[in-house]
Amino acid sequence: MNTSASWPDPETAELRVRRMQRKLHHWAVDDSGRCFDDVFNLVYDPAFLTVAWDRVRTNKGARSAGADGIVPRFLGPEESARMLETLHAQVKARRFRPDPVREVMIPKANGKLRRLGIATAADRVVQASLKLVLEPIFEADFRPCSYGFRPRRRAQDAIAEIHYLAGGTRAYHWVFEGDIEACFDEIDHTALMARVRARVSDKRVLALVKLFLKAGILGKDLAFRSNATGTPQGGILSPLLANIALSVLDEHFAAKWEALGPYWTRAKYCRAGGATMKIVRYADDFVVMVHGSQADAEALREEVAAVLAPMGLRLSAEKTKICHVDEGFEFLGFRIQRQTKRGTGKKYVYTWPSKKALASVIDKVRMVTRRHKHRTLADLLHRLNPVLRGWCGYFQHGVSKRTFSYLDHYAWWKVVGWMRKRHHGLAWGVFCRRFLPGWQIRVGRTAMFRPWEVEVTRYRFRGYNIATPWSWRPPESATATTA
């Protein structure tokens, strides 16, 4: 694949990259056995590097520096141009070598620490370019039950599928909640590369992927550690590689489903006492919905463990659970449970924010509204509003109105408390007239975001044919078929 283009402007580069991605995706969809053997030139193509740098510079991690201390967001036009020229020459000549990732430990909700690996700015650009090449190819193979870190898919799609399977006459009532122990840290490199090699045989691309896997870790004590397994969590390429590895689960349950044949044979199988299963996965979080008995769900422990073992992964014995949908379970921050609707006597599946998710946003509001963190009310609102707006936007597709009202009440009084401490000794009546006209908190054009005003809407299951960004035409509307 010859690419001898000069450095384009960002808009032209985006169009050129999208056109090439469509071709790659089209070829991969048309021939599921095709092995791409000449795509390395795209990795150092000026258009791909330009788009990759634009995404690195504008994403959420652009303010974090790697081991080289360079912050992508603060890199000027001249410095970034020199960096892209250097990367183009190094990758083309196969002289590029990634630096170790900088280790960062962040607290998890359960009190433990999560290890992140922050790559250098240059390494992030090459990773982003590599992802632009590989993602359209592997998206053709990924199953529709996978929703995490995939274009045009979101967590709400996973929740909607669970809601669809558990409700109505489909009766997927037993739930296997799987939890993989340290997924990103323990993926076996040999098994992962074998899955990549099944679709991409270009040895130069495979060598580049392996270089990133073996780059090593630079700890806080500046000590270098090699990594024999895993892909650094926080890397641009890591979510795609994790999806490639975890696709073994999707393919296993898809093969079981397809082995049952058409709808009428599955229905006959279920009437005879057989069990059917559907997996819903978001990155390394997944549930298996079971249309059968508790024993069928219990048998999945050994079955799933056997599927994950070749990838070097294992289930967490403590966190892997089996429950009935009437008991309820938590997934991706939502509480999912079937309950009897008041006044009807009928059972329906409901989803709402979990207690853990609510406690997390309450802690954020408490931290943001601390007195010493802000000099003015405008500063406080500029920090608080995105927290409230983002949390409510995520959970607005559930039975969340009561939770939103509670969060609104809590946040409103925390802000009022912050304001009263700034005006100590002012009588409550005078304070209200001066600072709370109409019980609204506002400074200039900036008003406090009110969660109770967020409209709660139902997020419908979109079926199993969700179009990718590179589809030549929108897929036909799929009707989900389950036993």
Side-chain angles (χ1 to χ4, degrees), residues 159 329-336 351-354 394-395 397:
I159 300 299
F329 62 100
E330 295 181 4
F331 187 61
L332 302 180
F334 283 88
R335 176 75 180 174
I336 306 171
T351 60
W352 63 88
S354 66
Y394 182 85
F395 287 106
H397 303 297

Side-chain angles (χ1 to χ4, degrees), residues 295-476:
D296 296 320
E298 291 285 355
L300 285 173
R301 290 183 185 271
E302 294 184 1
E303 182 178 335
V304 172
V307 174
L308 291 174
M311 298 304 304
L313 302 174
R314 65 185 192 279
L315 289 173
S316 170
E318 299 81 13
K319 297 181 181 179
T320 299
K321 303 175 184 176
I322 292 161
C323 68
H324 195 274
V325 72
D326 290 346
E327 303 171 31
F329 62 100
E330 295 181 4
F331 187 61
L332 302 180
F334 283 88
R335 176 75 180 174
I336 306 171
Q337 189 171 358
R338 190 174 68 161
Q339 297 180 343
T340 302
K341 187 176 182 179
R342 191 179 304 171
T344 65
K346 297 181 180 179
K347 289 187 173 182
Y348 295 92
V349 178
Y350 295 94
T351 60
W352 63 88
S354 66
K355 291 183 178 179
K356 186 184 296 184
L358 178 60
S360 175
V361 73
I362 289 295
D363 286 342
K364 288 182 181 178
V365 172
R366 185 185 299 115
M367 291 292 295
V368 169
T369 53
R370 286 187 175 179
R371 183 180 179 186
H372 67 278
K373 284 185 172 291
H374 312 283
R375 298 180 60 185
T376 64
L377 178 60
D379 293 338
L380 171 60
L381 295 182
H382 283 306
R383 286 283 305 279
L384 179 63
N385 283 350
V387 173
L388 298 177
R389 186 179 291 110
W391 196 86
C392 293
Y394 182 85
F395 287 106
Q396 69 174 338
H397 303 297
V399 187
S400 309
K401 203 64 179 177
R402 182 179 296 181
T403 307
F404 287 173
S405 296
Y406 173 81
L407 177 61
D408 180 89
H409 179 270
Y410 179 84
W412 193 87
W413 279 106
K414 290 296 288 184
V415 175
V416 169
W418 182 90
M419 294 169 65
R420 293 216 69 187
K421 289 177 181 177
R422 301 279 293 185
H423 303 280
H424 182 69
L426 197 63
W428 173 248
V430 177
F431 176 83
C432 289
R433 286 193 302 271
R434 186 177 299 177
F435 299 108
L436 300 176
W439 296 97
Q440 295 294 321
I441 299 176
R442 177 185 294 274
V443 53
R445 295 185 178 181
T446 304
M448 177 182 170
F449 180 83
R450 303 303 300 271
W452 74 271
E453 296 177 346
V454 176
E455 182 182 2
V456 174
T457 59
R458 173 76 180 274
Y459 190 90
R460 298 287 180 178
F461 178 47
R462 296 197 284 163
Y464 293 111
N465 283 351
I466 300 176
T468 68
W470 316 288
S471 299
W472 290 105
R473 54 187 176 275
E476 298 178 0

Side-chain angles (χ1 to χ4, degrees), residues 7 41 47 65 77 83 85 103 123 166 178 193 245 364 376 437:
W7 290 95
N41 295 348
M83 180 184 68
E85 289 282 0
E103 185 180 52
D123 292 352
M193 291 304 300
K364 288 182 181 178
T376 64

Side-chain angles (χ1 to χ4, degrees), residues 55-117:
R55 298 189 179 181
V56 168
R57 183 177 54 84
T58 57
N59 67 11
K60 292 182 179 179
R63 295 181 182 274
S64 301
D68 59 354
I70 297 176
V71 180
R73 181 70 59 86
F74 302 144
L75 208 60
E78 294 183 0
E79 294 88 345
S80 59
R82 284 197 298 268
M83 180 184 68
L84 293 181
E85 289 282 0
T86 302
L87 288 176
H88 172 75
Q90 289 181 344
V91 176
K92 183 177 182 179
R94 301 185 65 182
R95 291 185 286 102
F96 174 80
R97 295 294 181 272
D99 295 315
V101 297
R102 180 172 67 90
E103 185 180 52
V104 176
M105 307 297 289
I106 62 173
K108 297 170 64 175
N110 58 7
K112 296 182 179 179
L113 295 176
R114 185 190 305 276
R115 180 183 290 108
L116 296 183

